[in-house]
Amino acid sequence: MEAKPQSINKLFQSGGDIQYVLPHFQREYAWDKTHWDELYEDVVEVYDTSWEESTPEHFLGALVVIQEGESVGTMSRYTLVDGQQRLTTISLLLCALKEVLDPNSRLRGRIEKLLVNPDEEDNRYFYKIVPTLKRDDRKAYFAIIDGERTVKYKSGIVKAYDHFLQILRKAEKDINTQRLFDSIVNRMQVVFITLKRDEKPYKIFETLNARGKNLSQADLVRNYVAMRLETDKQEEVFNRYWADIDSRLSDQSKKQELSSFLRHYLAMTTYTLPNEKQVYARFRDYMEHRCPDEDSFVSELGTLRKFAIFYEKLLRPALEDNPQIRDGIKRLNVVLESVSYPCLMFLYDAAESSRITDMDFSASLALLENYGVRRLLAGEPTNYYNKMFPTLPRDVDIEDCIPSLTSLLLNKNYPSNNSIRLNLENMHRLGSASRKRFVLVLESIDRHLARGTGGYPILDDDPTIEHIMPQTLGDAWRQHIGEDHHEVHNDLLNNLGNLTLVTQQWNAELSNGKFEDKKRQLANHALRINSGYFCNDIPKWNRSTILDRTDWLTKLALEVWPHRSPYFPPPDVAGSTPSAVIIVDERFPVDTWRNVMVKTVEVLIPQIADFEAVAKRFSNRMRRHSHHFNSHEALSNGWYLNLVGSHNAIYTFCKKFAQAAGLDDTEWHAEYE
């Protein structure tokens, strides 16, 4: 490594041939007004004291380059590793200065020689700085250097040039342009650091604390990628892989999509989620270990691009064509947000490579939703997820995806039905993060209530959570609740039983209204969680009635997200003789498998709120009319049960019917010999 101070004049070879090429992986021009003004203030400070003979040089920071082996005539060509923002901005300031000069000024020619290599016939070597292609930086810069009057590209380069042009035009009468020029090119200096490619320049880059806009983790990764590739391969690799990644994932403003993608990609591949501030370091270490040569490095970039496509669909589910998968991702974005992305990218890849079917992928999303919602309802903390989800790609048996994923989740602090009941009964907090999740919970319960009707209601505006007992108790509400109103309000304001969904307009209309008025309006509301409940006789809204509604909603939630049990293939019961069927700890003697089926259905009929909806799922077994079956049994509710089937088929039906009735796998089993 060679480091030495160098003036701007020397930097641009004082009119000689030189070129600085920005690697294709460098970020776009990113300086803004704060940086432009700061640079110009430095120039003005030097300008104001430049008449003094002892005026010291002003250092702008470091410029780090790699001198390329190739040469074009007498030209020196460099790859610009660090300092693109300063170098580009200084050249734009010089270009703006040239624009305000008299057309016949000799100074225009001197500035021109600092910006271009006029003797180069090959247009590739004409410009002394070659920006990246991102956001049309290169097109914008070349147009400005060429003197085009109207430059309409979106690049920040155009804004920087216009900013300096405006400043100089305002100060034109008060400024000595020759002195300003000398101040810029002879008094302003940089530390010019030249590296050899075998010195691992990205390591030098990491240690620089250059003045400028802070680099994001994605910016650092881009630079590392560029420095790992030979110059002649950068453009090809960039266009084939990284350009597509950049176009899909924004890293502007607060989005940081690309940095987040790299973080979750590392979590998927290393099974550990890196700290947000250590993404670059972890990515570098991962690539150094995994890709010792350039071929394997480029291959890994191709893999990265593939997963960036998956990641974009996670961020923007509308891009997913499969409606079941699309809906599953949308729901998980509410339930688990991005914490599940390492696992979802792994599943996307498995589906893309046909190791699992789209149906398996959709079922996996439902499993993860079941896990996340049940933990929400049980009041379990979410900080556990950052350690848990990255391990799933390592531990799941993709060849046996659903049973394997089910088994894994059941061993990751999976909540029991009882823990959910206890938490919802005592629930008294509703944080801002969980509010949108409970909107999803209540919407899902409402759809569940509409099952079998051929449709479900949708609000005509975004749903909001309405507190039936209001957040502030007026005199009427205190009197309505009774003497213990303070305790009831404190304990149950945010209890699930006191929450419902309405639009913002309804929320404002209901507000702190009396319970009698709220009940009347909710009884006529479109959503069944409102109309289906408040049409009942509820004279008071107090501790008892709130907890009654909590119990009602809890039962429905456990139907929507039932307890999952370890997946075991059904036993082979062919040729066996049953002696009893056990349903929720009650033993019923039987002597045939047909009797097992009839007894199971009859015992569970009273527990099923919407038998018709359940029966439709088993239409090969249950119908309203007997003529559908050759051998049948009339059920107590007027339906008919098909008795034809093997012992194994009957066993499987009974198990699934018990699950549809809300039973855990442990709550139904048969004894047989």
Side-chain angles (χ1 to χ4, degrees), residues 157-210:
I157 283 175
V158 178
K159 297 177 181 178
Y161 173 70
D162 289 342
H163 183 72
F164 288 133
L165 202 57
Q166 185 178 10
I167 289 175
L168 292 175
R169 280 174 173 163
K170 285 182 179 179
E172 190 174 355
K173 295 180 180 179
D174 303 320
I175 202 166
N176 183 314
T177 52
Q178 179 66 54
R179 186 167 144 192
L180 180 64
F181 173 77
D182 288 336
S183 298
I184 296 171
V185 302
N186 294 320
R187 297 289 186 177
M188 311 294 285
Q189 295 200 353
V190 298
V191 177
F192 193 76
I193 302 174
T194 308
L195 306 175
K196 295 180 181 179
R197 186 163 289 280
D198 59 5
E199 292 178 302
K200 290 193 175 181
Y202 65 85
K203 290 190 175 294
I204 305 296
F205 181 84
E206 294 170 20
T207 66
L208 294 173
N209 186 24

Side-chain angles (χ1 to χ4, degrees), residues 257-523:
E257 292 176 355
L258 182 51
S259 295
S260 296
F261 161 63
L262 294 168
R263 184 176 183 231
H264 289 131
Y265 179 79
L266 289 170
M268 180 192 68
T269 53
T270 67
Y271 317 123
T272 302
L273 184 70
N275 183 284
E276 291 178 351
K277 297 180 180 179
Q278 297 176 345
V279 171
Y280 161 66
R282 295 292 175 263
F283 182 85
R284 176 203 61 205
D285 295 345
Y286 169 77
M287 296 293 276
E288 290 292 293
H289 173 74
R290 186 177 179 87
C291 310
D293 56 67
E294 192 168 86
D295 288 343
S296 60
F297 187 81
V298 172
S299 176
E300 185 67 19
L301 293 180
T303 302
L304 202 66
R305 174 185 175 274
K306 176 179 68 172
F307 280 94
I309 295 172
F310 301 150
Y311 200 82
E312 185 186 24
K313 290 183 180 180
L314 298 180
L315 294 175
R316 290 173 271 281
L319 298 173
E320 170 55 51
D321 293 331
N322 185 300
Q324 286 75 33
I325 294 174
R326 181 170 61 243
D327 186 58
I329 293 172
K330 284 182 179 179
R331 293 173 67 83
L332 279 181
N333 278 341
V334 175
V335 175
L336 295 170
E337 296 182 327
S338 65
V339 73
S340 63
Y341 284 2
C343 180
L344 297 190
M345 284 195 292
F346 169 77
L347 292 170
Y348 243 128
D349 183 48
E352 183 81 5
S353 59
S354 300
R355 288 181 293 157
I356 62 173
T357 64
D358 283 353
M359 187 177 297
D360 285 336
F361 190 9
S362 181
S364 298
L365 298 176
L367 273 174
L368 294 172
E369 178 187 320
N370 176 281
Y371 177 78
V373 172
R374 287 180 67 91
R375 283 182 59 85
L376 169 72
L377 298 179
E380 298 288 351
T382 59
N383 53 5
Y384 171 68
Y385 292 152
N386 284 333
K387 292 184 178 180
M388 189 277 285
F389 274 102
T391 66
L392 293 181
R394 177 193 64 197
D395 297 334
V396 70
D397 179 2
I398 204 64
E399 303 302 324
D400 197 26
C401 181
I402 302 305
S404 176
L405 183 58
T406 301
S407 180
L408 284 172
L409 294 176
L410 288 172
N411 287 282
K412 303 291 185 182
N413 298 328
Y414 186 83
S416 66
N417 286 353
N418 192 50
S419 65
I420 291 173
R421 292 188 189 99
L422 288 175
N423 181 67
L424 292 180
E425 184 177 325
N426 295 285
M427 173 181 161
H428 64 280
R429 296 182 63 185
L430 186 66
S432 58
S434 62
R435 186 176 291 264
K436 62 182 180 180
R437 297 182 184 123
F438 275 101
V439 168
L440 181 141
V441 167
L442 291 169
E443 282 184 321
S444 300
I445 291 174
D446 192 73
R447 291 189 184 188
H448 181 66
L449 287 169
R451 66 197 186 282
T453 64
Y456 54 85
I458 298 177
L459 297 178
D460 56 12
D461 200 356
D462 291 338
T464 63
I465 287 183
E466 162 72 9
H467 291 76
I468 300 165
M469 174 178 59
Q471 298 185 64
T472 301
L473 292 182
D475 291 340
W477 265 99
R478 287 194 289 268
Q479 184 176 357
H480 175 85
I481 296 171
E483 293 182 358
D484 62 345
H485 62 80
H486 179 76
E487 291 78 11
V488 172
H489 191 260
N490 187 61
D491 294 344
L492 299 177
L493 173 65
N494 291 306
N495 188 277
L496 184 62
N498 191 51
L499 307 178
T500 195
L501 294 182
V502 294
T503 61
Q504 184 61 51
Q505 179 182 350
W506 272 61
N507 191 295
E509 290 176 0
L510 293 172
S511 187
N512 292 350
K514 296 179 180 179
F515 174 67
E516 294 79 6
D517 296 334
K518 284 191 173 186
K519 178 181 179 299
R520 183 174 59 257
Q521 287 181 269
L522 291 173

Side-chain angles (χ1 to χ4, degrees), residues 532-551:
Y533 193 84
F534 289 100
C535 64
N536 297 313
D537 182 23
I538 310 173
K540 286 281 188 179
W541 196 247
N542 52 24
R543 183 181 297 274
S544 175
T545 50
I546 292 174
L547 291 178
D548 283 346
R549 187 167 179 270
T550 300
D551 183 59

